[in-house]
Amino acid sequence: LFGRNWQSRIQLTQLCADIKAVRSDVLICVDHEGGRVQRFRNDGFTHLPPMRALGELWMQDSKSVRGAFHTGSGALAAMDAATASGYVLASELRACGVDFSFTPVLDLDFGRSGVIGDRAFSRDPQITFALAKSLNEGLRLAGMANCGKHFPGHGWAEADSHVAIPVDERSLQKILDDDAKPYEWLDLSLSAVMPAHVIYPQVDKNPAGFSKIWLHSILRQELGFEGVIFSDDLSMEGASVAGSVVKGADMALEAGCDAVLICNRSDLADQLLSQLVVSKVKQAESATRLNRLMPTAAAPAWNELQGEAQYQHAKGLLKQLKLIA
């Protein structure tokens, strides 16, 4: 879902119900991170902070002593705020019938990528890991899975993959030692991963989302990831190296993706649905993974949610920390 699908909270809830009435096993998803990437912001929805605000909160009272990094009360407050943000985010979406959000962003903030920018928690992979794990716990408490993106890292490449093909010239070891660390450390708490439409020429000529090296050899085998792999939007410029949306989908699925996304071109979605051929074995394997992302329990309706003590506590904490209005 996107902002174009939004008119009001009641309309959104009815839309989700109508979709489920046609096909109950469809996973209804949205990019809803907080900050500038949040599709629903009014009619009762809490406008959540950008993730950089949590990273900045972490740094309050933190200091380096003789080369060792010591955290202060800001780190504890930031982790609490991340959990509260995840809970508010997921519980509000689920009250309207949305199953899943593509969050958290695990890219590191090198100060180079405008498209990532304040969507990232921090430059530090340890802070990024700790805050993402806390946010994931908030999502889980509200009955929602998570998706780390954009593997192995979009923070260094300067170009915006929506309109260009970003390139990251660093070595494999440098990326694994830095950008990919949050994925390694999150381990079993990571439900899904979305690879970047970024080319890392020291590793593969293909963008990560089309690369068996990145998705199979590194993510699946080396890091032991067993969750869902989503492609990023195949209608983005960063996916244009494939030549066509059908070829891009073939390459993504062959590389290891379980699901491919087309977000902004309904004509290309129709083309893909009519031409894509996927083996029954691949379908069954990916369906098993995707089914694990479906909420396993019913969510309270919106009016019930407003009176829920845990929801009120989470919003109160974010207000106290001046992270929401």
Side-chain angles (χ1 to χ4, degrees):
L1 300 175
F2 284 83
R4 62 177 175 265
N5 306 118
W6 164 268
Q7 295 172 14
S8 68
R9 183 168 42 78
I10 291 174
Q11 171 267 333
L12 173 66
T13 305
Q14 187 61 54
L15 172 63
C16 291
D18 290 345
I19 291 170
K20 292 290 187 178
V22 173
R23 186 167 165 182
S24 61
D25 64 336
V26 166
L27 186 74
I28 301 178
C29 308
V30 66
D31 274 325
H32 201 84
E33 304 165 5
R36 58 193 161 95
V37 181
Q38 181 172 331
R39 305 306 178 194
F40 320 128
R41 303 186 186 192
N42 53 23
D43 201 6
F45 269 92
T46 304
H47 191 188
L48 294 161
M51 296 301 99
R52 178 187 284 169
L54 302 179
E56 291 172 344
L57 178 59
W58 176 293
M59 294 307 296
Q60 293 180 16
D61 304 323
S62 297
K63 58 185 177 179
S64 179
V65 180
R66 294 182 181 178
F69 192 67
H70 293 264
T71 58
S73 59
L76 301 177
M79 287 190 287
D80 283 346
T83 302
S85 294
Y87 188 80
V88 170
L89 184 159
S91 60
E92 291 183 351
L93 288 175
R94 292 208 56 216
C96 296
V98 179
D99 300 314
F100 185 76
S101 177
F102 292 107
T103 188
V105 169
L106 299 181
D107 302 316
L108 303 184
D109 184 9
F110 291 98
R112 295 168 56 92
S113 173
V115 72
I116 301 302
D118 65 0
R119 296 165 66 192
F121 290 105
S122 172
R123 162 63 184 87
D124 189 315
Q126 294 186 43
I127 296 173
T128 298
F129 153 71
L131 292 178
K133 190 171 180 67
S134 297
L135 184 123
N136 287 351
E137 175 62 8
L139 298 175
R140 187 193 66 80
L141 288 169
M144 184 177 284
N146 61 73
C147 181
K149 61 185 186 184
H150 308 81
F151 179 81
H154 199 319
W156 183 264
E158 293 182 274
D160 178 352
S161 54
H162 293 85
V163 296
I165 303 173
V167 176
D168 185 335
E169 298 279 0
R170 293 175 302 159
S171 69
L172 171 61
Q173 199 58 52
K174 177 62 177 172
I175 296 166
L176 292 179
D177 288 346
D178 212 353
D179 305 60
K181 278 300 182 184
Y183 295 89
E184 177 184 346
W185 294 332
L186 283 165
D187 197 21
L188 292 174
S189 68
L190 199 58
S191 309
V193 164
M194 178 182 287
H197 282 326
V198 175
I199 297 174
Y200 307 86
Q202 299 295 322
V203 181
D204 195 342
K205 65 180 181 180
N206 292 316
F210 299 150
S211 168
K212 284 186 178 180
I213 297 173
W214 280 115
L215 301 188
H216 181 70
S217 300
I218 297 174
L219 185 59
R220 290 282 190 217
Q221 293 189 325
E222 188 172 333
L223 300 184
F225 179 66
E226 296 291 341
V228 174
I229 303 177
F230 288 95
S231 80
D232 205 344
D233 179 11
L234 294 180
S235 63
M236 288 165 56
E237 184 62 27
S240 65
V241 295
S244 74
V245 70
V246 177
K247 179 62 175 175
D250 278 332
M251 290 175 64
L253 293 168
E254 179 66 21
C257 287
D258 295 293
V260 293
L261 307 185
I262 298 179
C263 300
N264 293 297
R265 290 281 302 275
S266 59
D267 58 322
L268 294 181
D270 290 339
Q271 180 185 343
L272 183 60
L273 287 168
S274 66
Q275 297 181 25
L276 184 66
V277 178
V278 184
S279 73
K280 290 185 178 180
V281 172
K282 173 68 173 178
Q283 286 185 48
E285 181 183 89
S286 293
T288 298
R289 290 196 182 107
L290 282 160
N291 285 339
R292 297 187 196 124
L293 302 183
M294 295 291 289
T296 56
W302 187 270
N303 289 340
E304 295 174 51
L305 178 65
Q306 304 312 300
E308 184 191 80
Q310 198 166 7
Y311 174 75
Q312 291 180 341
H313 177 78
K315 287 197 68 171
L317 175 64
L318 294 174
K319 287 181 179 178
Q320 181 183 343
L321 293 170
K322 296 181 172 56
L323 292 170
I324 63 173

